[in-house]
Amino acid sequence: MPVSSFDLKRILRPNILKLEPYRCARDDYSEGILLDANENSYGPAYQVEISEGANGSEDLHISSGNNDLNLHRYPDPLGRKVKDRILKLRPSVPSVENIFLGVGSDEVIDMLVRITCTPGKDSILITPPTYGMYRVVANINDVNVVKVPLIVEGGEFQLNVDAVIQVAVDDPTIKIIWLCSPGNPTGTYLREEDVRRVLDSAFEGLVVIDEAYVDFVRADKGESYARLVREYPQLLVMQTMSKSFGLAGIRLGVGIGSRELVSYLNNAKAPYNVSTLSLSVATAALSDDGLQKMRGVMRGIQKQRDEYLIPELKRLPHVGAILGGNDANFVVCRIVDSNGEASNEIAKSVYVEMAQNRGLVVRYRGTDFGCEGCLRITVGTAEENKVVIDTLRTLLDGKLKMSILDEHNFP
């Protein structure tokens, strides 16, 4: 919709607009003798030295080492150091005030639904096949889910733009349009002209673009839509440290949007939602050296994806097609029967056999819209990718394929 007419307050829940946020101790002061937050001044208890004092009493000695992170103190509630480094990664982002940090992207998803959608009344719009947590979070919050499928013919996996706009504009209960670029499980980067058409439409809610896999997109195909936040106040772009940075275990998600939207997210979140440990690891990963290494790893994954895994999959019997744009760190391949038809039975049996008996786990996606007969295979190391190809070649051999179908009780 026209930027000048977007009003965030019109789509936020009334209780969020009136919310007086919790003010935590570290919002005020973070230096000096800190006796304001009921923390344990002796430090992490497992590091404290306890000795026997006079009259059999115990003397506590504060450990002088191994607590460089000050784990006995609450973390910065806004993660400012991490946000400063994110600006180096995404220089088009205006300021740290345009960045929200969550416990993985899933917290960002949940917070967006909670601040905008009234339970039992409002809706979100998703474009299947897509990331399942949009639906799950909506269900948890008693929010309706409206589906406008992607164009899936030929494995295109692009937006049906006219349908998305018409449904979103005609239904005033829809507060959020969720777009996934590159998609999961589609691995496809959404065309910029399509994204802009949605943003320029008469839809009055939020448009959220989930970019968990954006760093795997080749530069000649596209880049992060975080650069559009300056133009569109109704846009929020989600990113994560889980994929390109290889830090799924620290559970750190990022939301990039207008200062106003980020301020409401900060008001509604838990006071210290991201831990000191996660913030520390993220700060190191986002250093100049960390970014250089991440980009080197990305080039290696792209090379394995484009020069080995995809060509080798295409050579295998019963692999009918590689679907999608291949813009992520995984490949979606369609398994077909002897007539060239997509086969959930063969794909599921191969998936189960590999996981249960071969020590090799991929993801069966045959029940997703437009993904009949599909396996989603993460790009692994060179050695892991060779195991995938060798195992699939063995299992998709005609005679062995039939024995696997019989073993796993598929017709």
Side-chain angles (χ1 to χ4, degrees):
M1 69 183 305
V3 172
S4 59
S5 60
F6 177 73
D7 183 2
L8 177 62
K9 292 182 176 63
R10 188 165 52 194
I11 64 168
L12 293 179
R13 293 171 60 184
N15 60 305
I16 298 299
L17 292 172
K18 295 185 294 184
L19 178 66
E20 182 177 343
Y22 178 83
R23 187 162 187 83
C24 54
R26 293 300 155 259
D27 285 327
D28 297 319
Y29 303 101
S30 59
E31 297 179 352
I33 297 176
L34 300 174
L35 302 176
D36 58 341
N38 299 334
E39 299 155 326
N40 188 330
S41 296
Y42 284 90
Y46 77 96
Q47 293 181 340
V48 171
E49 298 176 5
I50 302 177
S51 60
E52 186 174 340
N55 302 318
S57 63
E58 289 184 341
D59 289 339
L60 304 182
H61 303 280
I62 299 175
S63 175
S64 59
N66 299 322
N67 190 27
D68 294 338
L69 295 178
N70 287 319
L71 295 179
H72 61 308
R73 301 296 184 190
Y74 288 114
D76 176 359
L78 296 178
R80 294 171 182 85
K81 288 184 179 179
V82 170
K83 292 180 179 180
D84 280 333
R85 300 252 174 128
I86 289 173
L87 293 179
K88 286 191 173 184
L89 175 65
R90 310 293 181 208
S92 62
V93 177
S95 74
V96 296
E97 294 178 350
N98 296 88
I99 301 172
F100 173 77
L101 299 181
V103 183
S105 295
D106 294 335
E107 185 184 20
V108 183
I109 295 169
D110 184 54
M111 292 301 304
L112 287 167
V113 170
R114 287 166 60 191
I115 69 172
T116 60
C117 296
T118 300
K121 174 184 175 183
D122 289 328
S123 308
I124 64 168
L125 186 153
I126 64 173
T127 58
T130 193
Y131 182 43
M133 280 303 295
Y134 312 142
R135 173 187 54 80
V136 171
V137 167
N139 290 342
I140 291 170
N141 288 283
D142 193 19
V143 170
N144 186 45
V145 178
V146 177
K147 300 177 182 180
V148 180
L150 296 174
I151 298 170
V152 300
E153 286 74 19
E156 182 178 357
F157 295 135
Q158 290 289 344
L159 294 176
N160 186 342
V161 186
D162 291 336
V164 168
I165 292 173
Q166 180 175 348
V167 170
V169 171
D170 289 348
D171 186 347
T173 72
I174 295 175
K175 294 294 187 70
I176 303 174
I177 295 175
W178 294 98
L179 306 179
C180 201
S181 178
N184 176 19
T186 70
T188 301
Y189 179 81
L190 297 179
R191 291 185 290 256
E192 182 166 343
E193 58 266 32
D194 293 345
V195 171
R196 284 187 177 272
R197 280 190 60 198
V198 174
L199 289 166
D200 288 329
S201 72
F203 175 62
E204 297 181 347
L206 293 178
V207 177
V208 182
I209 304 178
D210 187 343
E211 290 191 334
Y213 300 95
V214 73
D215 291 319
F216 299 98
V217 181
R218 290 196 177 276
D220 59 347
K221 293 189 69 172
E223 59 181 322
S224 171
Y225 286 122
R227 57 194 158 83
L228 300 186
V229 166
R230 290 179 181 269
E231 299 180 47
Y232 298 100
Q234 73 270 42
L235 172 64
L236 184 126
V237 175
M238 296 195 315
Q239 299 183 356
T240 179
M241 301 292 290
S242 297
K243 308 301 181 182
S244 59
F245 285 93
L247 292 172
I250 72 169
R251 307 305 302 129
L252 185 61
V254 179
I256 301 171
S258 71
R259 293 187 180 191
E260 185 182 21
L261 175 55
V262 168
S263 70
Y264 282 110
L265 290 170
N266 284 328
N267 288 348
K269 76 174 182 66
Y272 305 104
N273 59 326
V274 181
S275 76
T276 295
L277 294 171
S278 293
L279 292 172
S280 175
V281 173
T283 300
L286 289 161
S287 67
D288 291 343
D289 181 60
L291 291 177
Q292 182 178 0
K293 290 179 178 178
M294 180 274 283
R295 290 169 179 139
V297 172
M298 288 309 93
R299 290 191 294 270
I301 291 174
Q302 289 170 336
K303 183 174 182 180
Q304 278 292 310
R305 178 191 68 194
D306 298 340
E307 298 181 17
Y308 179 77
L309 193 56
I310 291 175
E312 290 299 319
L313 283 170
K314 289 180 176 179
R315 295 188 180 99
L316 295 180
H318 293 281
V319 172
I322 305 298
L323 303 187
N326 298 304
D327 300 319
N329 68 333
F330 58 82
V331 177
V332 178
C333 66
R334 170 163 284 157
I335 307 300
V336 298
D337 60 20
S338 57
N339 296 318
E341 298 295 326
S343 174
N344 277 353
E345 291 78 13
I346 298 175
K348 183 69 175 290
S349 65
V350 168
Y351 156 73
V352 172
E353 171 66 20
M354 290 198 301
Q356 292 186 356
N357 300 321
R358 311 281 174 140
L360 176 59
V361 184
V362 297
R363 193 74 176 266
Y364 171 68
R365 301 308 299 250
T367 58
D368 288 315
F369 177 76
C371 297
E372 295 79 6
C374 284
L375 298 176
R376 191 192 70 191
I377 303 171
T378 302
V379 181
T381 64
E383 293 78 12
E384 290 171 336
N385 295 334
K386 186 177 187 304
V387 171
V388 169
I389 296 300
D390 291 344
T391 304
L392 283 173
R393 183 179 292 112
T394 299
L395 296 181
L396 290 172
D397 172 81
K399 294 181 180 178
L400 188 56
K401 178 196 70 177
M402 293 309 299
S403 69
I404 294 170
L405 286 170
D406 292 339
E407 179 180 347
H408 296 292
N409 299 316
F410 287 99

